[in-house]
């Protein structure tokens, strides 16, 4: 008996040391998912969350005026801000900001003259603020845009959380990772129609009710996690029509991956019209209703 117990313990230690913990109790799983969900909700309402995003304006070369005035190129829909806060100037790979009022800040420093806030080649990116407004420059392909946040937006102050499916251990699956040798690029299109290549190191294959399904994973060499974009039989009904996202840890030594659909979450486009969300590639649209994870939010 002691020999059997010793052997069992050794096997358990070897398995535990070789990779992810494949087994979990219902209680521990519920706690894990609830903690994950709480962090998701805190992230949405944080300063870098998606709920405070109130604008995304794509710049044209030259000058772009910015403020609440009717004649502004980038018009604020919040009337209590000045008619013109300043101007953006896009020149080749650089974007400058020229303030027209006092109180435009770069961190703790007020800017009073033309200031470089983005340089694609020099890897310069500087956020600016004015009162509760905060903005940064984003680059998508050859386009440059202003991403605008209002930390006091009603979408933040009125937020009460996201509905989700009941946590179910049956949707925590042990899946196989099948690498592409070599890794291949797959085209991913976003909601504004831009398509870009994304590296896929392989696909994840899982079983459900005797059927086999697969999802192409995205990730670069050195990433600790793989990114999944998928749609399923609930998309457009119980969940967002543009699919959902997930992160999973890379496979263990045996090539297994824990695929827990209870951690499927909504793309940013569910919470704001000013995001550029990637959509699931055709091969990641599953003929299976995955009733786990986050449900749709609002009128999307």
């Amino acid at each position: 008996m002691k020999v059997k117990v010793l052997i069992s313990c050794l096997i358990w230690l070897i398995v535990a040391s070789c990779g992810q913990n494949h087994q979990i109790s219902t209680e521990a799983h519920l706690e894990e998912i609830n903690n994950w969900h709480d962090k998701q909700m805190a992230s949405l309402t944080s300063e870098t969350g998606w709920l405070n995003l109130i604008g995304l304006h794509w710049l044209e070369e030259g000058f772009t005026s910015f403020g609440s005035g009717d004649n502004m190129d980038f018009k604020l829909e919040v009337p209590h801000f000045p008619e013109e806060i300043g101007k953006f100037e896009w020149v080749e790979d650089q974007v400058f900001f020229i303030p027209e009022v006092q109180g435009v800040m770069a961190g703790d420093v007020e800017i009073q003259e033309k200031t470089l806030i983005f340089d694609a080649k020099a890897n310069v990116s500087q956020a600016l603020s004015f009162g509760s407004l905060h903005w940064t420059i984003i680059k998508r392909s050859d386009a440059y845009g202003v991403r605008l946040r209002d930390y006091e937006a009603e979408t933040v102050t009125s937020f009460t959380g996201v509905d989700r499916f009941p946590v179910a251990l049956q949707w925590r699956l042990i899946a196989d990772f099948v690498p592409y040798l070599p890794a291949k690029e797959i085209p991913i299109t976003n909601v504004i129609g831009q398509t870009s290549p994304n590296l896929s190191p392989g696909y994840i294959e899982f079983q459900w009710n005797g059927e086999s399904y697969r999802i192409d994973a995205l990730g670069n060499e050195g990433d600790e996690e793989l990114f999944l974009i998928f749609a399923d039989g609930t998309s457009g009904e119980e969940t967002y029509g543009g699919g959902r996202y997930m992160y999973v840890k890379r496979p263990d030594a045996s090539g297994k991956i824990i695929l827990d659909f209870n951690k499927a979450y909504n793309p940013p486009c569910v919470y704001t019209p000013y995001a550029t969300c990637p959509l699931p590639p055709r091969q990641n649209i599953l003929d299976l209703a995955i009733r786990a994870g986050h449900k749709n939010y609002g009128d999307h």
Side-chain angles (χ1 to χ4, degrees), residues 86-161:
K87 292 184 177 69
F88 297 94
E89 184 182 7
W90 172 19
V91 182
E92 296 182 348
D93 298 303
Q94 297 178 323
V95 178
F96 300 85
F97 189 78
I98 306 164
E100 297 291 341
V101 294
Q102 293 183 336
V104 177
M105 309 294 290
D108 296 329
V109 178
E110 182 176 355
I111 68 169
Q112 298 179 337
E113 57 187 16
K114 179 177 175 178
T115 302
L116 176 68
I117 60 173
F118 191 87
D119 189 325
K121 290 184 177 179
N123 198 28
V124 172
S125 181
Q126 181 171 222
L128 298 182
S129 66
F130 178 80
S132 62
L133 296 178
H134 293 251
W135 60 90
T136 54
I137 301 299
I138 64 171
K139 185 176 185 291
R140 296 292 184 269
S141 187
D142 294 327
Y144 291 75
V146 183
R147 174 168 280 166
L148 178 66
R149 300 177 183 273
D150 184 353
Y151 290 171
E152 298 175 1
E154 185 181 354
T155 48
V156 178
T157 58
S158 63
F159 181 68
T160 58

Side-chain angles (χ1 to χ4, degrees), residues 33 68 186 201 230 244 273 279:
I33 299 302
S68 64
I186 60 176
F230 71 94
R244 289 182 288 171
L279 298 167

Side-chain angles (χ1 to χ4, degrees), residues 197-256:
N198 285 251
L199 194 65
S200 175
Y203 64 87
I204 296 171
E205 188 170 34
F206 67 95
Q207 308 294 319
W208 184 263
N209 287 342
E211 298 290 333
S212 180
Y213 302 89
R214 53 191 282 184
I215 301 175
D216 269 339
L218 305 178
N220 298 311
E221 186 177 353
D223 291 346
E224 294 183 359
E225 295 181 307
L226 300 174
F227 182 49
L228 311 184
I229 309 172
F230 71 94
D232 65 276
T234 70
S235 301
E237 299 293 337
E238 297 161 285
T239 63
Y240 176 53
R244 289 182 288 171
Y245 298 166
M246 279 180 63
Y247 279 97
V248 296
K249 291 182 179 179
R250 283 188 174 270
D252 60 17
S254 66
K256 299 294 183 182

